[in-house]
Amino acid sequence: MKLEGFGIFVKDMPTMIRFYRDVLGFEIKEDENAVNVFLEKDGTLFLLFRRTDFEHMTGQTFGYAKGINGHYEISLGVENYAAVDAAWQEVTGKGAVSVMAPVTEPWGQRTCYIADPEGNLIEIGSFNAE
């Protein structure tokens, strides 16, 4: 088996589309009322799937975390340490919730965390000082 991508089951599709498109810069061409959104980001398939539609398709209901949650993270890489700081400034300025401001970790990575509107964690980081 080969990893092709990942998906997020979303409650509010229009809000999540606007966040990933307008705040993080993902190229999303689907309408905000789409049932699901398939896009590719840097060679990785990324899917937003409306929870109610997935439950209807599978004939099951599922439990979902509320608030900022630590079930997984989406990791985005940038060029260098300065770009981590600039990206954090930009996305929090556009409304992303800051979970952790940029710091340089003992293992040499400069990293920060934000949350999307449904509480999923997103890391922005780099191992390149310059």
Side-chain angles (χ1 to χ4, degrees), residues 77-94:
V78 294
E79 182 180 324
N80 55 37
Y81 287 8
V84 172
D85 295 5
W88 181 83
Q89 238 358 70
E90 178 184 351
V91 299
T92 56
K94 291 181 177 179

Side-chain angles (χ1 to χ4, degrees), residues 41-42 74-80 83-84 87 109-110 122-128:
K41 179 76 171 159
D42 303 319
I74 297 168
S75 181
L76 302 174
V78 294
E79 182 180 324
N80 55 37
V84 172
Q109 180 188 28
R110 184 133 180 101
I122 301 163
E123 177 186 30
I124 302 169
S126 179
F127 284 94
N128 300 315

Side-chain angles (χ1 to χ4, degrees), residues 27-60:
E27 186 175 335
I28 298 176
K29 297 178 182 176
E30 282 88 347
D31 180 82
E32 290 184 2
N33 292 315
V35 172
N36 55 34
V37 175
F38 288 92
L39 64 128
E40 194 170 306
K41 179 76 171 159
D42 303 319
T44 300
L45 178 65
F46 182 75
L47 168 73
L48 300 177
F49 207 132
R50 192 183 318 267
R51 293 173 183 176
T52 54
D53 295 326
F54 185 74
E55 289 179 351
H56 178 73
M57 182 180 80
T58 62
Q60 300 182 54

Side-chain angles (χ1 to χ4, degrees), residues 10-27:
V10 304
K11 180 178 179 182
D12 184 343
M13 185 67 80
T15 297
M16 294 293 274
I17 286 175
R18 286 190 298 272
F19 178 83
Y20 282 93
R21 182 189 62 213
D22 302 341
V23 175
L24 293 183
F26 284 35
E27 186 175 335

